[in-house]
Amino acid sequence: MAERPLRILQVLRAPLGGLFRHVNDLTRELSARGHQIGLVVDNLVSDGLTRERLQALGGSTALGIHHFPMPRVIGPGDLTTPFAVRALADRLGAEVMHGHGAKGGVCARIARIGRKNRVALYTTHGGVLNYRPGSMQSRVFLGLEHQLLRFTDGIVFESDFARRTFIERIGQPDCEAPVIHNGLTAHEFDPIVRNPDAADFVFIGEFRGAKGIDVLMRALAPLRAPDGRPATLVAAGDGPMMGEIRQLIASLGLGDRVTLLGVAPARPTLARGRCMVVPSLAESLPYVVLEGASGGLPVISTNVGGISELFGGLSHQLVPPSNDKALGAAMQAYLDDPEPMEAQARAHVDYIKPRFSVCTMTDGIEALYHRALARRQRSIASD
């Protein structure tokens, strides 16, 4: 017997990055299954791309898209928005509040307080775990997390790494807290057809310290193909280190070997490289690794966060972070003899496809919603 449709509010701060990619896919799939979905987002983030992304979700948000102030850092909106979101949930008859990230998680769980027929779930997406330990923001939000755990009916961890980190820094949740990995849509498992003039390597990510783009440039500098040709790289992204990386490219003499694309769509960019490189120093469960591997592209990655969970039996091939020599050695091995990695990449798709699909992800989260509501109702009935 099919479960009944639910009225669900997804709460997040900004429609950006992997967090929004997750909410976007989840919203579309839940709506297609008959649930009524609404979004709550920050009204302080307003640009053409943000409006375009939200407008594209209009057909999947029967409960509307609602804007409230959610400052990136602690601000006045943090005192008023959670209660405004609770009032909105009352008006809409929301049964499930699902908060994403630190700010979304606070709003979703405050909206559950004092409401008998409503549950609150939370996905960290790094969130509070990303704040620098000992900082004011870290202390405030870790304290809030401890207090809000008693109003939390379920926590979704996108990786086992995120779950372990949460337990270490905040504590063992009393509620159900499964690992439900991010997933990709069906078309993303179509093979990536590389451009005839593809570079040797491709990078996609923000130009900031945690992504290791500087380590990648130093690793690339000495690399040569067997015929002596210098190795080449295509890099897509932008961020606070862009100026610094441009200077590093110049100082290493890589101007003719590195093509900087700026911000660009993932799949067409992946087709511009023969092998993907992920030199990150810190991650949770990055979509970009899935996007490359699902299309059959060889992926050279550092062993950080939950990345090893994406590689299964190939995880021993991941390289240590912040080590340009180790990263360069793995890249040189691909240049010298690409076929072993190409064969592994083709087999890797078979590992990823049943474990990391949007359908599998939504199955797990949808079932968690229903179990949380059933537990809540049993608890009320026993009072």
Side-chain angles (χ1 to χ4, degrees):
M1 179 176 159
E3 297 277 13
R4 67 178 179 85
L6 303 175
R7 297 174 70 84
I8 304 162
L9 279 182
Q10 306 284 348
V11 189
L12 64 154
R13 193 187 71 82
L16 303 168
L19 186 156
F20 179 66
R21 161 69 199 265
H22 172 88
V23 173
N24 178 79
D25 290 345
L26 181 60
T27 295
R28 291 180 185 278
E29 183 66 19
L30 287 170
S31 176
R33 297 181 183 197
H35 301 289
Q36 292 186 293
I37 314 298
L39 291 189
V40 175
V41 298
D42 179 24
N43 68 3
L44 304 176
V45 177
S46 180
D47 55 50
L49 181 58
T50 296
R51 289 191 294 273
E52 181 181 323
R53 285 172 168 169
L54 292 176
Q55 286 170 1
L57 266 176
S60 300
T61 51
L63 299 184
I65 299 174
H66 309 271
H67 301 263
F68 297 93
M70 296 186 200
R72 185 176 183 87
V73 297
I74 296 173
D78 295 319
L79 299 176
T80 58
T81 292
F83 301 98
V85 171
R86 183 167 66 177
L88 171 70
D90 291 343
R91 291 197 302 274
L92 295 175
E95 303 166 271
V96 176
M97 306 295 298
H98 190 165
H100 301 266
K103 294 296 181 80
V106 169
C107 290
R109 288 174 289 179
I110 287 178
R112 182 263 205 199
I113 296 173
R115 302 301 186 264
K116 292 184 177 181
N117 297 316
R118 183 178 300 157
V119 294
L121 292 94
Y122 174 42
T123 303
T124 66
H125 298 282
V128 65
L129 305 178
N130 287 337
Y131 290 124
R132 180 171 54 84
S135 68
M136 182 184 73
Q137 295 232 84
S138 178
R139 290 196 301 271
V140 168
F141 277 101
L142 286 176
L144 267 176
E145 287 294 341
H146 284 291
Q147 296 300 317
L148 290 172
L149 279 177
R150 56 184 164 159
F151 305 113
T152 307
D153 300 286
I155 301 178
V156 178
F157 291 107
E158 68 274 22
S159 67
D160 189 57
F161 165 78
R163 188 177 191 278
R164 294 195 310 270
T165 304
F166 186 95
I167 292 171
E168 177 185 322
R169 296 190 61 186
I170 296 169
Q172 178 72 49
D174 293 330
C175 59
E176 189 175 356
V179 173
I180 302 176
H181 291 121
N182 296 333
L184 300 179
T185 57
H187 76 85
E188 290 175 287
F189 290 95
D190 295 338
I192 292 170
V193 179
R194 283 168 276 193
N195 297 355
D197 60 347
D200 295 306
F201 302 103
V202 58
F203 165 88
I204 301 175
E206 291 183 82
F207 281 54
R208 59 184 177 91
K211 296 301 181 180
I213 183 68
D214 54 330
V215 179
L216 174 57
M217 295 304 171
R218 289 191 291 272
L220 178 72
L223 302 186
R224 299 290 185 275
D227 63 2
R229 173 185 58 80
T232 56
L233 169 74
V234 167
D238 200 352
M241 286 184 66
M242 178 59 81
E244 179 182 334
I245 294 302
R246 288 186 185 278
Q247 292 177 358
L248 182 60
I249 288 171
S251 68
L252 293 172
L254 298 175
D256 295 334
R257 297 167 55 190
V258 175
T259 302
L260 299 178
L261 301 179
V263 177
R267 197 166 180 88
T269 300
L270 291 169
R272 297 187 62 165
R274 295 168 53 216
C275 176
M276 182 181 185
V277 185
V278 182
S280 298
L281 312 186
E283 290 285 0
S284 181
L285 195 82
Y287 270 104
V288 71
V289 175
L290 280 174
E291 289 168 331
S294 67
L297 210 64
V299 179
I300 295 171
S301 175
T302 50
N303 189 8
V304 296
I307 288 179
S308 64
E309 298 169 45
L310 304 176
F311 281 82
L314 300 176
S315 60
H316 65 282
Q317 297 180 359
L318 299 173
V319 301
S322 302
N323 189 326
D324 58 281
K325 297 293 191 296
L327 185 64
M331 295 166 69
Q332 186 64 59
Y334 176 79
L335 289 170
D336 292 341
D337 186 9
E339 184 48 36
M341 282 192 64
E342 294 284 349
Q344 287 178 346
R346 292 190 290 270
H348 194 195
V349 176
D350 295 330
Y351 175 81
I352 291 174
K353 195 168 186 177
R355 294 171 173 84
F356 301 96
S357 72
V358 166
C359 184
T360 300
M361 176 186 82
T362 307
D363 284 347
I365 293 174
E366 181 185 32
L368 183 60
Y369 290 164
H370 284 290
R371 290 197 300 272
L373 279 166
R375 281 193 298 271
R376 183 88 167 125
Q377 288 161 5
R378 287 195 300 269
S379 174
I380 292 167
S382 66
D383 288 345

